Amino acid sequence: MSIFPVTEPIPPMVAFSSSVPRAAAAVALCAGFIVSLEAGAAHDPGVSPGWKLCRSTNPDERIAGCTQVIADIGKESKHNQLAAYVNRAGAWQAKGDYARAIEDYGKALEVEPGAAIVLLARGAARHAAGDLDAAIADYDQAIAKDDKNAAAFMARASAWRAKGEAGKALADIDEAVKLDRKTAGPLAARANYFHAKGEHDRAIADYSEALKRDPKLVSALIGRGGCFYAKGDYDKALADFDAAAKADPRNATALLNRANAWRARKDFERARTDYEAALALKPDLAPAKKGVEDVTKIIAKKAAGAAPADAAPAGVEHEH
């Protein structure tokens, strides 16, 4: 049941990312973060006519409506005061105005000091703004208030990773894996960690478990395929990249990696087709450009009766 009178969270979510703004925005939905919002959830009706827009999924509309509510905030219940500030903060965050988001989360915390869900939200905004120490401080407080929240551990792990604290990041991801027995995100994040360290078998085990929970998780398919590729198991790599490309036909990374796998198997025509498809989606994708050039030369030499040598790329692209 939602505690805030809104219909849908604005910020997007990814499981775990090396990009600080993307990872911080991602925090907002993990395991029902910020507002585990159910349409029609019980809430105070509110006094201000601005509530209709303050519940909008459109950031500009939400800001306008919540600003109207906040202008006469003293007439609202404590519950609705908290909601108005959090709703507007989420809209500022969605627009990339992290300073205003942080300010509104601070106002919400004045209404309800120590609210774990708001601390986590403010931590995400601070994370996105690049203030990692302040973000971690908020995540620490959120975890102290609610140490069963997997999203909070994932958020803090992302901040530790951005600071280069890989060991601390892994410890938080491990905790999230223990707490979250249903979703794929924490397992995929831990797999990413092992993959980056070259511990491909451990990564494959976690990717495989994540894919049992979400068989079409493209980032996990690409990650596991990358591990198989690194181990020289091109058939399994190709199967994963193929599944990723089918799950998301517009994923240029999946197509690029499938091209590399075809190339590793000396199927240069199929490799060129996939390189070209990846370029059609992302014309500035340098590895795909080079791939097209390389395999086009190889195909031409083969047609001329030569036996060209080729070495497929040593590694593949990843989404984590």
Side-chain angles (χ1 to χ4, degrees), residues 38-242:
E38 302 172 10
H43 58 267
D44 297 346
V47 174
S48 172
W51 275 115
K52 182 177 180 181
L53 288 180
C54 191
R55 302 181 186 111
S56 173
T57 59
N58 178 284
D60 292 323
E61 289 181 354
R62 186 182 289 193
I63 289 166
C66 294
T67 299
Q68 185 177 356
V69 173
I70 289 167
D72 209 2
I73 198 72
K75 293 183 179 179
E76 299 289 343
S77 67
K78 180 179 177 181
H79 176 102
N80 280 6
Q81 290 177 32
L82 182 68
Y85 285 120
V86 168
N87 289 8
R88 190 172 71 174
W92 287 127
Q93 194 165 345
K95 288 170 66 68
D97 193 334
Y98 303 118
R100 285 179 172 171
I102 291 164
E103 182 180 358
D104 273 346
Y105 287 131
K107 291 290 186 182
L109 287 165
E110 290 176 13
V111 175
E112 187 174 324
I117 207 165
V118 182
L119 285 163
L120 190 48
R122 189 175 68 178
R126 285 174 160 171
H127 189 164
D131 192 345
L132 297 174
D133 290 332
I136 289 169
D138 275 344
Y139 297 150
D140 287 345
Q141 290 185 66
I143 289 168
K145 292 286 184 179
D146 179 8
D147 63 1
K148 303 299 181 186
N149 190 333
F153 285 100
M154 287 294 291
R156 193 170 67 179
S158 181
W160 285 129
R161 183 181 182 188
K163 282 175 67 70
E165 297 277 4
K168 290 180 179 179
L170 179 61
D172 276 346
I173 295 169
D174 280 339
E175 193 62 32
V177 169
K178 293 175 187 175
L179 292 168
D180 185 349
R181 302 287 183 174
K182 294 182 179 180
T183 70
L187 281 164
R190 191 168 67 181
N192 291 346
Y193 173 88
F194 290 133
H195 190 177
K197 288 191 68 179
E199 296 183 29
H200 301 304
D201 290 334
R202 295 180 74 178
I204 288 168
D206 274 346
Y207 282 132
S208 297
E209 188 60 34
L211 287 164
K212 289 179 184 177
R213 299 179 184 187
D214 185 354
K216 292 187 178 181
L217 182 59
V218 171
S219 61
L221 287 165
I222 289 174
R224 189 174 69 176
C227 288
F228 285 131
Y229 188 98
K231 286 167 62 71
D233 193 338
Y234 300 123
D235 288 343
K236 287 182 179 178
L238 184 59
D240 275 343
F241 298 144
D242 189 52

Side-chain angles (χ1 to χ4, degrees), residues 248-257 277-279 281-282 285 319:
D248 182 5
R250 297 192 60 78
N251 190 302
T253 302
L255 291 167
L256 171 62
N257 288 344
L279 277 175
L281 293 171
K282 291 185 69 173
L285 191 58
E319 296 198 324

